[in-house]
Amino acid sequence: IPKVFIKGLKEIIIKKIKFFLIQNQISIEYWERVFHKKNRKIIGILSNITVHPASRSLYSYCLIKNIPFFIFQHGAGLELTKVNETRYYLCESTFSDIFFVYNKIWKKFNLKNKFKVSKIVNVGVPREYQECKKVSFFRNSDFLYVSTLIYAGNIKFAENDTDNEMANFEINLIKKVLSKNKNNFMYKYYPQINLYTDKDPVLDELKKYKNIKLYKKNLNLMQMCSKYKVIITSRGTSTLFWCLWLDKPIIFIDLPNSKPLRKETKKALESYLFYFNYSDKDFYIKLNKFLSKGTEQILSLFKKEKLKNKHIVEKYFQYYKKGAGEKTAEHIIGYINENKQIKNQESMKVV
């Protein structure tokens, strides 16, 4: 590697760190103003996501004010994919007092984090994941394709695949599989802000085919899945995690360069999913042939061969039918009470 490149890279990193530190300090002052307006005593703050130094400064503010800060795993499914095995610095365990996770897998991952400052507590999968199959605003449809394509531009976390490659995957899937099939499909587009000046080529491709309907509104997946007979999705994301609890056939496409499943995750889920590897030479032929069976035959296969393996998924993710909320409340109350006792002891020492 040329020395001039290394020198330039160091300068960029140092400049970025300085910029983030300044943002952090300015944002602490912002949080001071926000909570001052509340005009009430704050005994703890709960959050499920803090991104960017400006919002993560909330923990800095809490440290200054001695306010306990509790954060919850954002987007169950982080433990599914290989990409998160090297993202220690992004983990919530680096900026909270207690980090609540949904299973032992993500707890184990975070315990290895050299930058962690949090106590990591596994409370199990929240009940809402099981209850999502009871909710629906849709009366009919056959196949639901849930897209997990989120463009990164040059501002988000980069994957192995570029935006162009990810878009091409969607377009090829539409052209070579969905449009060629005798069945009807609902294509759920992932809600996002357009990072480019030109139109999304995926949306342009969808307009060409009568058997594919586009659903682009910002509606939660749990609100639309229960009436669909078969679900198709790709990538190891929280979308797959949501789908796992629906007791419905899931056709899953594993992409080698875009959030692929970890080996142990694949081993646990393969017996429950209808698994297709995008790297296979005959991927399009195999998938098209399987979809041609139709929803009723696929549903029958699922009930006969796959549903009996649901316990493997539940065991892998440590799913309990109730208790996550109660466990979380116990830990929060206990931590706040402990924090009060420490404060009282310190005040007594001062006296």
Side-chain angles (χ1 to χ4, degrees), residues 92-108:
E92 294 93 332
S93 56
T94 61
F95 50 90
S96 59
D97 291 304
I98 297 183
F99 176 33
F100 294 104
V101 299
Y102 299 155
N103 52 66
K104 62 182 179 181
I105 307 162
W106 200 231
K107 179 177 180 178
K108 184 179 178 181

Side-chain angles (χ1 to χ4, degrees), residues 249-286:
I250 302 166
I251 297 170
F252 178 72
I253 303 167
D254 201 4
L255 305 175
N257 294 318
S258 188
K259 295 186 174 70
L261 295 181
R262 298 165 64 232
K263 284 184 180 179
E264 61 181 76
T265 306
K266 178 186 170 185
K267 185 179 178 181
L269 300 187
E270 208 168 1
S271 63
Y272 184 69
L273 304 170
F274 291 107
Y275 178 89
F276 289 85
N277 194 321
Y278 184 59
S279 300
D280 287 351
K281 184 180 178 181
D282 299 324
F283 164 75
Y284 292 112
I285 296 171
K286 289 178 180 177

Side-chain angles (χ1 to χ4, degrees), residues 145 168-178 181 232-235 251-256 274-292:
Y145 176 76
N168 282 335
F169 162 74
E170 299 285 326
I171 291 170
N172 285 327
L173 188 69
I174 293 165
K175 287 169 65 175
K176 298 180 181 182
V177 180
L178 304 186
N181 205 273
I232 310 166
T233 191
S234 61
R235 302 182 179 89
I251 297 170
F252 178 72
I253 303 167
D254 201 4
L255 305 175
F274 291 107
Y275 178 89
F276 289 85
N277 194 321
Y278 184 59
S279 300
D280 287 351
K281 184 180 178 181
D282 299 324
F283 164 75
Y284 292 112
I285 296 171
K286 289 178 180 177
L287 181 57
N288 210 339
K289 185 178 179 181
F290 185 76
L291 291 175
S292 295

Side-chain angles (χ1 to χ4, degrees), residues 225-242:
C225 272
S226 68
K227 293 299 179 184
Y228 286 89
K229 295 174 183 176
V230 177
I231 298 165
I232 310 166
T233 191
S234 61
R235 302 182 179 89
T237 68
S238 58
T239 295
L240 173 60
F241 196 88
W242 275 109

Side-chain angles (χ1 to χ4, degrees), residues 8-20:
L9 187 61
K10 283 182 178 178
E11 289 175 357
I12 291 171
I13 292 171
I14 292 169
K15 188 176 180 180
K16 204 75 173 176
I17 290 172
K18 287 180 179 178
F19 174 70
F20 284 159

